[in-house]
Amino acid sequence: MSNEFTFSIKRISFDEDYRPSDNTRITTNFANLARGERRRENLRDTLTMINNRFNALAHWDNPNGDRYTVQHDIVSVDIDIEGKGETFPTIEILKTRIFDRHTNKHIEGVVGNNFSSYLRDYDFSIALQNHNKDQPHFSIPENFGDLHGKLFKHFVNSSAYQENFSKLPVICISVSDNKVYTRTENHHPVLGFEYLPNESSLTESYFKKMGLSVRYFMPPHSVAPLAFFFFGDLVNDYTNLELISTISTMETFQRIYRPEIYNANSEAGNRYQPSLKHSDYSLTRIHYDREERSQLAVKQGKFTEENLIEPYRTVLNQWSANYGI
């Protein structure tokens, strides 16, 4: 049955002229920046932050700190469940590309980076909340995240993915404010010091069902670790410039969206617990409404329930039960 599910990929440049498409999740990092009266300034300032951070990390043979420019494509992935040409927007990711001014050449970056999913909105904002409504103790629904994980793995193994991308994705997100992280002696020249969490999290288990492992690193001159989700070997499967393209992009987003953690005025110590209640931090000039984003996640979860889960529930359940057999 898996052959019935097909994926189509669309790309649009993320630059100062970017405007979200009708199918873009408006809770997506890059879509949030492209709204309001200061949309162009938001985008321009964000791209400047990304480029400055990239050049600071890629400092060798770069005496003026301006050798590289990071370019981004927003990759939108739609799924056709029944093969009739009717598609549903599943995920959006970012593809980085690096322009080297010294050689006047483009260098491939990393696909993944940001990860946005309508189905994940449904899982966390609808299914998980409904399961725990009026319950005395929090619990996880049976098979939570199974469908999402299998669809993601199906996409990565699809001809659509393999025809468009040469390497497997790396997704980079914020650390959890519910865990404690301890710095190790392991140090990578670009990724920085590795941190280990005191326990696993629901997010980790959710991404594990997508086939992804996780490691936590705090890059040089950062103030908090980032969570890197990946297939294979994060350290050896990607070049330094590829890793820097992800760090510079996603750390910039986190400095905007979670300044309490990623734009704090002091860096994480050997033992670190992030907190969104931290008060010693600086704001960027870029506008972002975090409360609105959480409200929109619920709306988009309901949209997924009405347009994907309910109409195709039987087909999706049968496919999920047979996936990998």
Side-chain angles (χ1 to χ4, degrees), residues 16-29:
E16 63 180 59
D17 296 317
Y18 164 68
R19 292 182 181 276
S21 71
D22 293 338
N23 288 335
T24 294
R25 288 172 66 252
I26 45 180
T27 59
T28 304
N29 287 339

Side-chain angles (χ1 to χ4, degrees), residues 307-324:
N307 293 276
L308 179 68
I309 300 299
E310 293 300 338
Y312 299 106
R313 184 180 295 276
T314 300
V315 174
L316 291 170
N317 287 342
Q318 291 176 347
W319 177 86
S320 181
N322 288 281
Y323 180 82

Side-chain angles (χ1 to χ4, degrees), residues 6-10 75-80 87 90 155 160 164:
T6 58
F7 297 95
S8 56
I9 293 176
K10 300 176 183 177
V75 179
S76 301
V77 183
D78 293 348
I79 189 170
D80 186 337
T87 62
T90 50
F155 167 61
N164 281 273

Side-chain angles (χ1 to χ4, degrees), residues 163-233:
E163 289 168 3
N164 281 273
F165 311 112
S166 60
K167 289 189 178 183
L168 293 170
V170 175
I171 296 166
C172 181
I173 66 174
S174 169
V175 288
S176 170
D177 56 352
N178 294 320
K179 295 197 294 184
V180 177
Y181 300 84
T182 302
R183 184 184 298 184
T184 71
E185 294 301 316
N186 187 38
H187 182 270
H188 184 274
V190 165
L191 292 167
F193 279 104
E194 183 167 16
Y195 278 73
L196 297 178
N198 63 324
E199 59 183 0
S200 182
S201 68
L202 179 56
T203 297
E204 282 185 13
S205 63
Y206 194 82
F207 275 87
K208 186 176 182 179
K209 290 187 175 183
M210 296 162 61
L212 298 165
S213 301
V214 63
R215 295 178 74 174
Y216 300 88
F217 285 94
M218 187 168 78
H221 309 298
S222 297
V223 296
L226 291 160
F228 296 87
F229 290 87
F230 58 93
F231 296 95
D233 187 338

Side-chain angles (χ1 to χ4, degrees), residues 1-246:
M1 293 184 64
S2 63
N3 292 332
E4 297 177 9
F5 291 9
T6 58
F7 297 95
S8 56
I9 293 176
K10 300 176 183 177
R11 301 188 189 213
I12 185 173
S13 294
F14 176 63
D15 54 29
E16 63 180 59
D17 296 317
Y18 164 68
R19 292 182 181 276
S21 71
D22 293 338
N23 288 335
T24 294
R25 288 172 66 252
I26 45 180
T27 59
T28 304
N29 287 339
F30 34 81
N32 272 294
L33 299 174
R35 302 170 64 198
E37 296 180 358
R38 293 194 73 257
R39 55 171 304 278
R40 185 178 292 273
E41 290 83 354
N42 275 353
L43 294 168
R44 185 183 298 128
D45 290 345
T46 299
L47 296 170
T48 297
M49 289 172 63
I50 292 172
N51 288 330
N52 287 344
R53 184 64 171 129
F54 187 101
N55 283 287
L57 286 169
H59 53 79
W60 58 92
D61 295 331
N62 189 6
N64 297 322
D66 61 356
R67 176 170 177 169
Y68 302 103
T69 299
V70 186
Q71 300 167 340
H72 304 83
D73 283 338
I74 299 170
V75 179
S76 301
V77 183
D78 293 348
I79 189 170
D80 186 337
I81 299 293
E82 296 180 321
K84 298 179 180 179
E86 298 178 2
T87 62
F88 183 85
T90 50
I91 64 174
E92 282 188 320
I93 49 181
L94 281 178
K95 173 68 171 65
T96 59
R97 186 172 60 254
I98 306 146
F99 180 68
D100 184 343
R101 288 192 178 91
H102 286 197
T103 63
N104 205 36
K105 293 181 179 179
H106 284 95
I107 304 165
E108 285 301 306
V110 169
V111 62
N113 299 288
N114 184 89
F115 179 74
S116 173
S117 166
Y118 271 102
L119 186 51
R120 185 173 65 171
D121 277 346
Y122 166 77
D123 281 340
F124 280 90
S125 298
I126 305 299
L128 186 62
Q129 297 302 316
N130 288 344
H131 176 77
N132 285 283
K133 186 177 182 181
D134 299 325
Q135 298 299 312
H137 303 289
F138 180 84
S139 64
I140 307 300
E142 185 179 3
N143 301 324
F144 181 73
D146 284 6
L147 175 62
H148 182 272
K150 290 174 181 179
L151 285 174
F152 181 78
K153 286 187 284 188
H154 186 43
F155 167 61
V156 171
N157 290 317
S158 70
S159 58
Y161 186 93
Q162 294 168 6
E163 289 168 3
N164 281 273
F165 311 112
S166 60
K167 289 189 178 183
L168 293 170
V170 175
I171 296 166
C172 181
I173 66 174
S174 169
V175 288
S176 170
D177 56 352
N178 294 320
K179 295 197 294 184
V180 177
Y181 300 84
T182 302
R183 184 184 298 184
T184 71
E185 294 301 316
N186 187 38
H187 182 270
H188 184 274
V190 165
L191 292 167
F193 279 104
E194 183 167 16
Y195 278 73
L196 297 178
N198 63 324
E199 59 183 0
S200 182
S201 68
L202 179 56
T203 297
E204 282 185 13
S205 63
Y206 194 82
F207 275 87
K208 186 176 182 179
K209 290 187 175 183
M210 296 162 61
L212 298 165
S213 301
V214 63
R215 295 178 74 174
Y216 300 88
F217 285 94
M218 187 168 78
H221 309 298
S222 297
V223 296
L226 291 160
F228 296 87
F229 290 87
F230 58 93
F231 296 95
D233 187 338
L234 176 68
V235 172
N236 292 309
D237 290 349
Y238 304 89
T239 68
N240 284 344
L241 290 183
E242 287 173 335
L243 292 173
I244 291 172
S245 72
T246 290

